[in-house]
Structure formats: structure tokens, C-alpha cells
Amino acid sequence: AVTMVDLYPKESWNFVFGLASLTYGVGVFSFARYTDTFYRTPPSKDTTENYICTDVTAKLLWRACKVMTHESAHVWIKHCVYHNCAMNGSNHLAESDRRAASLCPICLRKLQEALKFDLADRYRTLVKFCEGSLTDSQTPLSEFADFGEWLQKAITFLESKQYTTQVSRRPR
């Protein structure tokens, strides 16, 4: 589920950007705190009537994709403590902004094992999104440029002879 209402799963928590369940395979994402207007006039914790309505900017879309990646992956994997990873936890906006957009090698392998996808195919599709090929012409994608370049380098490596030689030498 996606909402522009601020989320508070427990009275003792101040908020969450999203929440997902490994057990039930569901998640909810709130983009309320990712807008520039939220911190000027935050909604009341006691009401869901004061939701945020805002224009979709490149920054909001970038933040939304990162939190959706994080929470969606929670259906299969837990928080990461090993690397800078999309699965790192975050407790405030600056920490969320610093979180990587991609999974670290450990979490990527866990997700790949669970979903059985071809990594190069996945990255090629993500590059198409970053370039705007999978969206309408009005979608603001300027925040995705660096990630698209990183994905393209990863694809080049995955398709290289160096990589395929290393993979074929691994014990099965």
C-alpha cells in the first residue's frame, strides 16, 4: 500500500517511512515525510484527514523508489548491517537519503535466491526506467541519472568475459 499519510505503527514510535512483514508478505509505504512541505506543516499524529498533497518532483520520486525497494525487499530479507545497502534501516530523512539505492552483494544474493531472477536482465530494465523508456514523458527522472550510470557499468561487468570466467570457476 502507498499513502501520503504519516505512519505510526505503535504509540511508542515517532514514525516510520514504511513497514513490511516477512510473515504476511505485505508492506505499506508513506511518502509524507519525503515532501518539502511536510516539515513546514506536519500533520497531526491523531488524524489521517491531514494528508499531504504535493507535486511529484524528481527528488520525491527518487526517495519513493528507495523506500519501496527497501520495504518490498523486507518481504524476503531483513535489515542489512554489513554494507551501505538499500536494506539499511533509517530513522530520519537525512539517513534515508544517504541509504544506497541498490542492494549490497549479500542482500542481492538473498533476494536473487528467493526470486530466481537474472541480474543483468533486472539491471537492463532498471536502466530503461532511469532513462525514461518505461514512463511517460512528464515523469521527473533527473535524480536517477547517477544510478542509471552505475547500473550500466554493472551490466557491462556482468556481460564481460572476466565475470563469466569467474562465475564458471565457482564450485556448484
Side-chain angles (χ1 to χ4, degrees):
V2 175
T3 184
M4 289 302 282
V5 175
D6 211 17
L7 299 176
Y8 305 90
K10 296 180 182 178
E11 277 299 314
S12 60
W13 294 19
N14 56 353
F15 76 95
V16 292
F17 291 114
L19 195 62
S21 170
L22 283 163
T23 306
Y24 298 108
V26 297
V28 61
F29 325 105
S30 172
F31 303 143
R33 289 180 180 259
Y34 288 141
T35 67
D36 293 332
T37 57
F38 177 85
Y39 294 96
R40 284 185 256 145
T41 55
S44 165
K45 188 174 184 176
D46 300 323
T47 182
T48 57
E49 293 175 15
N50 195 6
Y51 61 89
I52 305 296
C53 187
T54 187
D55 291 332
V56 176
T57 63
K59 182 177 269 188
L60 174 62
L61 187 59
W62 175 246
R63 288 170 167 169
C65 286
K66 285 171 63 173
V67 76
M68 285 189 294
T69 297
H70 176 90
E71 296 301 338
S72 297
H74 266 315
V75 174
W76 297 278
I77 57 181
K78 295 181 180 181
H79 279 141
C80 179
V81 295
Y82 303 108
H83 300 283
N84 184 13
C85 176
M87 292 310 296
N88 295 144
S90 64
N91 293 311
H92 52 79
L93 187 59
E95 202 171 43
S96 182
D97 282 345
R98 282 193 305 267
R99 181 172 46 208
S102 58
L103 298 171
C104 73
I106 294 168
C107 291
L108 182 60
R109 185 65 186 122
K110 288 176 186 177
L111 193 63
Q112 194 175 22
E113 180 62 28
L115 299 178
K116 311 286 188 221
F117 60 86
D118 179 86
L119 188 56
D121 286 345
R122 173 179 160 71
Y123 283 180
R124 278 191 282 277
T125 301
L126 286 170
V127 165
K128 286 179 185 177
F129 175 82
C130 291
E131 293 172 343
S133 302
L134 302 179
T135 63
D136 65 51
S137 61
Q138 303 302 309
T139 305
L141 295 172
S142 60
E143 294 282 329
F144 292 79
D146 290 343
F147 185 55
E149 289 174 19
W150 179 88
L151 288 165
Q152 195 57 59
K153 289 176 186 175
I155 293 166
T156 300
F157 176 73
L158 289 170
E159 293 172 342
S160 72
K161 187 172 183 165
Q162 176 187 1
Y163 174 76
T164 54
T165 302
Q166 289 173 359
V167 170
S168 65
R169 289 184 186 164
R170 278 193 215 145
R172 302 254 174 195

PDB file of all heavy atoms in Angstrom, residues 103-124:
ATOM      1  N   LEU A 103      20.962  -2.895  -3.594  1.00  0.00           N
ATOM      2  CA  LEU A 103      21.280  -3.863  -2.555  1.00  0.00           C
ATOM      3  C   LEU A 103      22.765  -4.177  -2.568  1.00  0.00           C
ATOM      4  O   LEU A 103      23.393  -4.201  -3.632  1.00  0.00           O
ATOM      5  CB  LEU A 103      20.500  -5.160  -2.787  1.00  0.00           C
ATOM      6  CG  LEU A 103      18.980  -5.056  -2.729  1.00  0.00           C
ATOM      7  CD1 LEU A 103      18.335  -6.359  -3.190  1.00  0.00           C
ATOM      8  CD2 LEU A 103      18.519  -4.695  -1.340  1.00  0.00           C
ATOM      9  N   CYS A 104      23.329  -4.433  -1.391  1.00  0.00           N
ATOM     10  CA  CYS A 104      24.726  -4.867  -1.307  1.00  0.00           C
ATOM     11  C   CYS A 104      24.807  -6.300  -1.860  1.00  0.00           C
ATOM     12  O   CYS A 104      23.781  -6.945  -2.079  1.00  0.00           O
ATOM     13  CB  CYS A 104      25.210  -4.814   0.146  1.00  0.00           C
ATOM     14  SG  CYS A 104      24.544  -6.117   1.205  1.00  0.00           S
ATOM     15  N   PRO A 105      26.002  -6.811  -2.117  1.00  0.00           N
ATOM     16  CA  PRO A 105      26.126  -8.168  -2.680  1.00  0.00           C
ATOM     17  C   PRO A 105      25.457  -9.255  -1.832  1.00  0.00           C
ATOM     18  O   PRO A 105      24.862 -10.190  -2.374  1.00  0.00           O
ATOM     19  CB  PRO A 105      27.637  -8.388  -2.758  1.00  0.00           C
ATOM     20  CG  PRO A 105      28.211  -7.015  -2.842  1.00  0.00           C
ATOM     21  CD  PRO A 105      27.305  -6.144  -2.029  1.00  0.00           C
ATOM     22  N   ILE A 106      25.506  -9.116  -0.525  1.00  0.00           N
ATOM     23  CA  ILE A 106      24.904 -10.131   0.351  1.00  0.00           C
ATOM     24  C   ILE A 106      23.385 -10.126   0.220  1.00  0.00           C
ATOM     25  O   ILE A 106      22.762 -11.169   0.003  1.00  0.00           O
ATOM     26  CB  ILE A 106      25.339  -9.907   1.815  1.00  0.00           C
ATOM     27  CG1 ILE A 106      26.847 -10.142   1.949  1.00  0.00           C
ATOM     28  CG2 ILE A 106      24.559 -10.803   2.772  1.00  0.00           C
ATOM     29  CD1 ILE A 106      27.433  -9.671   3.265  1.00  0.00           C
ATOM     30  N   CYS A 107      22.778  -8.962   0.324  1.00  0.00           N
ATOM     31  CA  CYS A 107      21.321  -8.872   0.227  1.00  0.00           C
ATOM     32  C   CYS A 107      20.833  -9.168  -1.193  1.00  0.00           C
ATOM     33  O   CYS A 107      19.784  -9.789  -1.379  1.00  0.00           O
ATOM     34  CB  CYS A 107      20.844  -7.494   0.678  1.00  0.00           C
ATOM     35  SG  CYS A 107      21.061  -7.238   2.458  1.00  0.00           S
ATOM     36  N   LEU A 108      21.601  -8.740  -2.194  1.00  0.00           N
ATOM     37  CA  LEU A 108      21.235  -9.025  -3.568  1.00  0.00           C
ATOM     38  C   LEU A 108      21.191 -10.531  -3.812  1.00  0.00           C
ATOM     39  O   LEU A 108      20.276 -11.054  -4.436  1.00  0.00           O
ATOM     40  CB  LEU A 108      22.223  -8.362  -4.531  1.00  0.00           C
ATOM     41  CG  LEU A 108      21.940  -8.531  -6.010  1.00  0.00           C
ATOM     42  CD1 LEU A 108      20.590  -7.945  -6.386  1.00  0.00           C
ATOM     43  CD2 LEU A 108      23.050  -7.877  -6.825  1.00  0.00           C
ATOM     44  N   ARG A 109      22.168 -11.240  -3.274  1.00  0.00           N
ATOM     45  CA  ARG A 109      22.196 -12.699  -3.434  1.00  0.00           C
ATOM     46  C   ARG A 109      21.013 -13.354  -2.726  1.00  0.00           C
ATOM     47  O   ARG A 109      20.412 -14.299  -3.239  1.00  0.00           O
ATOM     48  CB  ARG A 109      23.525 -13.262  -2.902  1.00  0.00           C
ATOM     49  CG  ARG A 109      23.666 -14.733  -3.146  1.00  0.00           C
ATOM     50  CD  ARG A 109      23.747 -15.020  -4.653  1.00  0.00           C
ATOM     51  NE  ARG A 109      23.732 -16.441  -4.871  1.00  0.00           N
ATOM     52  CZ  ARG A 109      22.826 -17.084  -5.616  1.00  0.00           C
ATOM     53  NH1 ARG A 109      21.888 -16.409  -6.239  1.00  0.00           N
ATOM     54  NH2 ARG A 109      22.869 -18.380  -5.758  1.00  0.00           N
ATOM     55  N   LYS A 110      20.664 -12.853  -1.532  1.00  0.00           N
ATOM     56  CA  LYS A 110      19.499 -13.395  -0.812  1.00  0.00           C
ATOM     57  C   LYS A 110      18.230 -13.204  -1.639  1.00  0.00           C
ATOM     58  O   LYS A 110      17.412 -14.126  -1.764  1.00  0.00           O
ATOM     59  CB  LYS A 110      19.328 -12.687   0.537  1.00  0.00           C
ATOM     60  CG  LYS A 110      20.366 -13.043   1.567  1.00  0.00           C
ATOM     61  CD  LYS A 110      20.151 -12.212   2.827  1.00  0.00           C
ATOM     62  CE  LYS A 110      21.236 -12.414   3.845  1.00  0.00           C
ATOM     63  NZ  LYS A 110      21.048 -11.551   5.032  1.00  0.00           N
ATOM     64  N   LEU A 111      18.053 -12.001  -2.194  1.00  0.00           N
ATOM     65  CA  LEU A 111      16.862 -11.723  -2.990  1.00  0.00           C
ATOM     66  C   LEU A 111      16.861 -12.544  -4.280  1.00  0.00           C
ATOM     67  O   LEU A 111      15.830 -13.069  -4.697  1.00  0.00           O
ATOM     68  CB  LEU A 111      16.773 -10.227  -3.299  1.00  0.00           C
ATOM     69  CG  LEU A 111      15.450  -9.745  -3.860  1.00  0.00           C
ATOM     70  CD1 LEU A 111      14.314  -9.960  -2.858  1.00  0.00           C
ATOM     71  CD2 LEU A 111      15.542  -8.275  -4.235  1.00  0.00           C
ATOM     72  N   GLN A 112      18.023 -12.656  -4.875  1.00  0.00           N
ATOM     73  CA  GLN A 112      18.147 -13.432  -6.110  1.00  0.00           C
ATOM     74  C   GLN A 112      17.820 -14.904  -5.852  1.00  0.00           C
ATOM     75  O   GLN A 112      17.156 -15.552  -6.663  1.00  0.00           O
ATOM     76  CB  GLN A 112      19.561 -13.278  -6.668  1.00  0.00           C
ATOM     77  CG  GLN A 112      19.715 -13.737  -8.085  1.00  0.00           C
ATOM     78  CD  GLN A 112      21.110 -13.444  -8.608  1.00  0.00           C
ATOM     79  OE1 GLN A 112      22.051 -13.277  -7.848  1.00  0.00           O
ATOM     80  NE2 GLN A 112      21.226 -13.387  -9.910  1.00  0.00           N
ATOM     81  N   GLU A 113      18.247 -15.422  -4.733  1.00  0.00           N
ATOM     82  CA  GLU A 113      17.942 -16.810  -4.380  1.00  0.00           C
ATOM     83  C   GLU A 113      16.440 -16.988  -4.152  1.00  0.00           C
ATOM     84  O   GLU A 113      15.856 -17.984  -4.578  1.00  0.00           O
ATOM     85  CB  GLU A 113      18.716 -17.221  -3.118  1.00  0.00           C
ATOM     86  CG  GLU A 113      18.479 -18.634  -2.676  1.00  0.00           C
ATOM     87  CD  GLU A 113      18.917 -19.693  -3.681  1.00  0.00           C
ATOM     88  OE1 GLU A 113      19.841 -19.448  -4.482  1.00  0.00           O
ATOM     89  OE2 GLU A 113      18.313 -20.791  -3.659  1.00  0.00           O
ATOM     90  N   ALA A 114      15.810 -16.010  -3.521  1.00  0.00           N
ATOM     91  CA  ALA A 114      14.375 -16.103  -3.238  1.00  0.00           C
ATOM     92  C   ALA A 114      13.531 -15.975  -4.504  1.00  0.00           C
ATOM     93  O   ALA A 114      12.539 -16.683  -4.671  1.00  0.00           O
ATOM     94  CB  ALA A 114      13.970 -15.034  -2.226  1.00  0.00           C
ATOM     95  N   LEU A 115      13.928 -15.074  -5.412  1.00  0.00           N
ATOM     96  CA  LEU A 115      13.097 -14.761  -6.578  1.00  0.00           C
ATOM     97  C   LEU A 115      13.574 -15.372  -7.891  1.00  0.00           C
ATOM     98  O   LEU A 115      12.847 -15.332  -8.882  1.00  0.00           O
ATOM     99  CB  LEU A 115      12.984 -13.245  -6.742  1.00  0.00           C
ATOM    100  CG  LEU A 115      12.339 -12.517  -5.572  1.00  0.00           C
ATOM    101  CD1 LEU A 115      12.324 -11.021  -5.813  1.00  0.00           C
ATOM    102  CD2 LEU A 115      10.933 -13.032  -5.333  1.00  0.00           C
ATOM    103  N   LYS A 116      14.811 -15.874  -7.909  1.00  0.00           N
ATOM    104  CA  LYS A 116      15.354 -16.548  -9.102  1.00  0.00           C
ATOM    105  C   LYS A 116      15.332 -15.667 -10.353  1.00  0.00           C
ATOM    106  O   LYS A 116      14.913 -16.080 -11.412  1.00  0.00           O
ATOM    107  CB  LYS A 116      14.575 -17.838  -9.400  1.00  0.00           C
ATOM    108  CG  LYS A 116      14.369 -18.756  -8.234  1.00  0.00           C
ATOM    109  CD  LYS A 116      15.622 -19.473  -7.851  1.00  0.00           C
ATOM    110  CE  LYS A 116      15.312 -20.533  -6.813  1.00  0.00           C
ATOM    111  NZ  LYS A 116      16.266 -20.631  -5.766  1.00  0.00           N
ATOM    112  N   PHE A 117      15.819 -14.437 -10.241  1.00  0.00           N
ATOM    113  CA  PHE A 117      15.857 -13.542 -11.400  1.00  0.00           C
ATOM    114  C   PHE A 117      17.256 -13.469 -11.980  1.00  0.00           C
ATOM    115  O   PHE A 117      18.243 -13.755 -11.305  1.00  0.00           O
ATOM    116  CB  PHE A 117      15.360 -12.134 -11.038  1.00  0.00           C
ATOM    117  CG  PHE A 117      16.158 -11.457  -9.954  1.00  0.00           C
ATOM    118  CD1 PHE A 117      17.306 -10.744 -10.240  1.00  0.00           C
ATOM    119  CD2 PHE A 117      15.729 -11.517  -8.635  1.00  0.00           C
ATOM    120  CE1 PHE A 117      18.031 -10.112  -9.242  1.00  0.00           C
ATOM    121  CE2 PHE A 117      16.435 -10.884  -7.627  1.00  0.00           C
ATOM    122  CZ  PHE A 117      17.588 -10.183  -7.935  1.00  0.00           C
ATOM    123  N   ASP A 118      17.345 -13.086 -13.246  1.00  0.00           N
ATOM    124  CA  ASP A 118      18.616 -12.861 -13.913  1.00  0.00           C
ATOM    125  C   ASP A 118      19.047 -11.426 -13.628  1.00  0.00           C
ATOM    126  O   ASP A 118      18.322 -10.477 -13.945  1.00  0.00           O
ATOM    127  CB  ASP A 118      18.474 -13.085 -15.421  1.00  0.00           C
ATOM    128  CG  ASP A 118      19.787 -12.843 -16.139  1.00  0.00           C
ATOM    129  OD1 ASP A 118      20.597 -13.773 -16.223  1.00  0.00           O
ATOM    130  OD2 ASP A 118      19.997 -11.699 -16.596  1.00  0.00           O
ATOM    131  N   LEU A 119      20.198 -11.262 -13.006  1.00  0.00           N
ATOM    132  CA  LEU A 119      20.640  -9.949 -12.559  1.00  0.00           C
ATOM    133  C   LEU A 119      20.832  -8.967 -13.713  1.00  0.00           C
ATOM    134  O   LEU A 119      20.396  -7.816 -13.634  1.00  0.00           O
ATOM    135  CB  LEU A 119      21.930 -10.079 -11.752  1.00  0.00           C
ATOM    136  CG  LEU A 119      22.421  -8.833 -11.053  1.00  0.00           C
ATOM    137  CD1 LEU A 119      21.361  -8.252 -10.134  1.00  0.00           C
ATOM    138  CD2 LEU A 119      23.681  -9.135 -10.263  1.00  0.00           C
ATOM    139  N   ALA A 120      21.457  -9.399 -14.788  1.00  0.00           N
ATOM    140  CA  ALA A 120      21.667  -8.499 -15.926  1.00  0.00           C
ATOM    141  C   ALA A 120      20.331  -8.044 -16.515  1.00  0.00           C
ATOM    142  O   ALA A 120      20.167  -6.866 -16.857  1.00  0.00           O
ATOM    143  CB  ALA A 120      22.535  -9.168 -16.985  1.00  0.00           C
ATOM    144  N   ASP A 121      19.353  -8.952 -16.616  1.00  0.00           N
ATOM    145  CA  ASP A 121      18.028  -8.574 -17.130  1.00  0.00           C
ATOM    146  C   ASP A 121      17.365  -7.545 -16.207  1.00  0.00           C
ATOM    147  O   ASP A 121      16.765  -6.575 -16.655  1.00  0.00           O
ATOM    148  CB  ASP A 121      17.116  -9.794 -17.254  1.00  0.00           C
ATOM    149  CG  ASP A 121      17.486 -10.680 -18.429  1.00  0.00           C
ATOM    150  OD1 ASP A 121      18.242 -10.231 -19.314  1.00  0.00           O
ATOM    151  OD2 ASP A 121      17.015 -11.836 -18.446  1.00  0.00           O
ATOM    152  N   ARG A 122      17.475  -7.772 -14.908  1.00  0.00           N
ATOM    153  CA  ARG A 122      16.892  -6.836 -13.939  1.00  0.00           C
ATOM    154  C   ARG A 122      17.525  -5.455 -14.091  1.00  0.00           C
ATOM    155  O   ARG A 122      16.833  -4.440 -14.128  1.00  0.00           O
ATOM    156  CB  ARG A 122      17.110  -7.364 -12.525  1.00  0.00           C
ATOM    157  CG  ARG A 122      16.692  -6.406 -11.435  1.00  0.00           C
ATOM    158  CD  ARG A 122      16.913  -7.011 -10.055  1.00  0.00           C
ATOM    159  NE  ARG A 122      16.976  -6.029  -9.005  1.00  0.00           N
ATOM    160  CZ  ARG A 122      15.955  -5.331  -8.553  1.00  0.00           C
ATOM    161  NH1 ARG A 122      14.762  -5.489  -9.080  1.00  0.00           N
ATOM    162  NH2 ARG A 122      16.113  -4.453  -7.584  1.00  0.00           N
ATOM    163  N   TYR A 123      18.854  -5.417 -14.189  1.00  0.00           N
ATOM    164  CA  TYR A 123      19.546  -4.136 -14.322  1.00  0.00           C
ATOM    165  C   TYR A 123      19.214  -3.454 -15.647  1.00  0.00           C
ATOM    166  O   TYR A 123      19.069  -2.231 -15.693  1.00  0.00           O
ATOM    167  CB  TYR A 123      21.053  -4.335 -14.180  1.00  0.00           C
ATOM    168  CG  TYR A 123      21.525  -4.525 -12.748  1.00  0.00           C
ATOM    169  CD1 TYR A 123      22.864  -4.723 -12.474  1.00  0.00           C
ATOM    170  CD2 TYR A 123      20.660  -4.505 -11.668  1.00  0.00           C
ATOM    171  CE1 TYR A 123      23.326  -4.888 -11.173  1.00  0.00           C
ATOM    172  CE2 TYR A 123      21.099  -4.670 -10.372  1.00  0.00           C
ATOM    173  CZ  TYR A 123      22.430  -4.856 -10.125  1.00  0.00           C
ATOM    174  OH  TYR A 123      22.875  -5.020  -8.838  1.00  0.00           O
ATOM    175  N   ARG A 124      19.057  -4.213 -16.734  1.00  0.00           N
ATOM    176  CA  ARG A 124      18.687  -3.604 -18.019  1.00  0.00           C
ATOM    177  C   ARG A 124      17.310  -2.940 -17.922  1.00  0.00           C
ATOM    178  O   ARG A 124      17.101  -1.838 -18.443  1.00  0.00           O
ATOM    179  CB  ARG A 124      18.701  -4.650 -19.132  1.00  0.00           C
ATOM    180  CG  ARG A 124      20.087  -4.918 -19.709  1.00  0.00           C
ATOM    181  CD  ARG A 124      20.030  -5.763 -20.981  1.00  0.00           C
ATOM    182  NE  ARG A 124      19.811  -7.162 -20.682  1.00  0.00           N
ATOM    183  CZ  ARG A 124      20.763  -8.033 -20.332  1.00  0.00           C
ATOM    184  NH1 ARG A 124      22.019  -7.630 -20.246  1.00  0.00           N
ATOM    185  NH2 ARG A 124      20.473  -9.290 -20.095  1.00  0.00           N
TER     186      ARG A 124
END
